[in-house]
């Protein structure tokens, strides 16, 4: 009967409560989704409760897309080719005059302004803390799996804004789909196969292994 199904469903929900502390430690947002679904099912029934749970899940998904992770990465003095998040690794040191910025998401219409503002804030914070002129921004695009037209426009806008301050934008670790999109859009930007090579270029050591299409197309 229907009542037996409801009782069984609630029983499984109560059993899952044992996993709540571990879920909270793993991901607070996932814990919020679970709690909202749990109490909605208790108060409004299975149909409405699950509907609310799906709605909260969608809100969390949009939030994660709109406010992705990003990091300023630095290199290890003993391992100059290795770059890691300076917040997580105290031995990683920022490169003088260069900001190495890693964006851990696809760049699209939902997070384009966050990308621009976050990078601008990083530039300001670095200038204030070190009083050193920034001459290059190296973007580690290893996690940038996709970019849409809004992302391409904001990337061009960021490049233009940086150029006004005599700061060069450099891309590194571009995946195939991202490279293809940059070429189709006609975004002329130095691209290197690794952060190490991009930083060496920014430091003034001209390399010969830039990608061949770096200077092919010019933006009008």
């Amino acid at each position: 009967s229907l009542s037996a199904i409801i009782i069984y469903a609630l029983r499984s929900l109560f059993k899952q409560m044992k996993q709540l502390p571990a879920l909270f430690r793993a991901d607070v947002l996932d814990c919020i989704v679970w709690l909202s679904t749990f109490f909605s099912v208790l108060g409004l029934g299975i149909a409405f409760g699950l509907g609310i749970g799906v709605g909260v899940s969608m809100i969390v998904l949009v939030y994660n897309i709109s406010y992705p992770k990003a990091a300023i990465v630095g290199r290890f003095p003993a391992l100059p080719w290795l770059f890691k998040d300076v917040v997580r690794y105290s031995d990683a040191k920022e490169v003088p005059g260069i900001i190495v910025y890693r964006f851990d998401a696809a760049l699209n219409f939902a997070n384009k302004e966050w990308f621009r503002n976050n990078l601008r804030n990083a530039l300001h914070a670095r200038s204030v803390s070190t009083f050193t002129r920034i001459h290059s921004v190296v973007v580690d695009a290893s996690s940038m799996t996709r970019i849409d037209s809004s992302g391409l426009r904001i990337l061009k806008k960021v490049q233009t804004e940086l150029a006004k301050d005599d700061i060069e934008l450099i891309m590194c670790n571009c995946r195939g789909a991202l490279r293809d999109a940059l070429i189709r859009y006609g975004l002329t930007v130095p691209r290197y196969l690794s952060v190490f090579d991009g930083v060496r270029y920014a430091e003034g050591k001209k390399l010969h292994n830039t990608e061949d299409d770096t200077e092919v197309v010019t933006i009008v």
Side-chain angles (χ1 to χ4, degrees):
S1 65
L2 180 61
S3 59
I5 295 174
I6 294 174
I7 292 173
Y8 180 81
L10 291 176
R11 181 185 175 187
S12 63
L13 277 177
F14 280 111
K15 283 185 177 180
Q16 291 177 17
M17 289 192 69
K18 297 178 182 178
Q19 304 174 5
L20 195 58
L23 182 61
F24 179 81
R25 291 192 297 269
D27 194 313
V28 176
L29 291 178
D30 277 353
C31 185
I32 292 173
V33 171
W34 190 93
L35 286 173
S36 62
T37 305
F38 176 78
F39 287 111
S40 297
V41 168
L42 285 182
L44 303 173
I46 294 178
F48 285 107
L50 291 178
I52 291 175
V54 171
V56 175
S57 297
M58 293 298 296
I59 292 173
V60 170
L61 179 62
V62 171
Y63 175 83
N64 286 331
I65 294 174
S66 301
Y67 302 96
K69 302 294 183 181
I72 301 298
V73 300
R75 64 184 172 192
F76 290 80
L79 302 169
W81 61 86
L82 182 62
F83 289 79
K84 293 291 183 180
D85 185 347
V86 296
V87 174
R88 293 181 178 271
Y89 296 88
S90 58
D91 291 337
K93 306 300 181 184
E94 296 186 54
V95 184
I98 303 169
I99 284 186
V100 185
Y101 180 80
R102 191 184 71 219
F103 189 70
D104 294 336
L107 184 58
N108 53 45
F109 71 95
N111 57 34
K112 60 185 180 69
E113 287 299 333
W114 188 92
F115 166 81
R116 175 172 170 256
N117 293 332
N118 186 253
L119 181 55
R120 180 189 296 170
N121 292 339
L123 277 166
H124 177 73
R126 178 75 174 278
S127 300
V128 170
S129 63
T130 63
F131 299 101
T132 302
R133 192 186 78 82
I134 304 299
H135 58 79
S136 302
V137 171
V138 177
V139 175
D140 179 1
S142 56
S143 299
M144 198 180 293
T145 55
R146 186 179 180 277
I147 187 169
D148 64 7
S149 58
S150 297
L152 288 166
R153 285 194 295 271
I154 204 68
L155 200 59
K156 176 57 184 174
K157 185 174 184 179
V158 167
Q159 183 187 40
T160 302
E161 291 174 345
L162 292 175
K164 290 179 180 178
D165 295 324
D166 200 23
I167 300 174
E168 184 177 21
L169 178 67
I170 302 163
M171 302 288 291
C172 298
N173 287 329
C174 296
R175 299 195 177 201
L178 176 58
R179 288 181 65 253
D180 294 343
L182 294 175
I183 294 170
R184 287 195 301 268
Y185 189 72
L187 181 55
T188 303
V189 58
R191 290 195 307 277
Y192 284 82
L193 298 178
S194 69
V195 175
F196 176 64
D197 288 343
V199 169
R200 288 183 63 192
Y201 165 79
E203 289 178 322
K205 302 172 183 177
K206 302 297 184 180
L207 302 179
H208 298 290
N209 63 340
T210 54
E211 299 181 18
D212 294 337
D213 54 0
T214 302
E215 299 179 353
V216 170
V217 187
T218 304
I219 293 294
V220 178

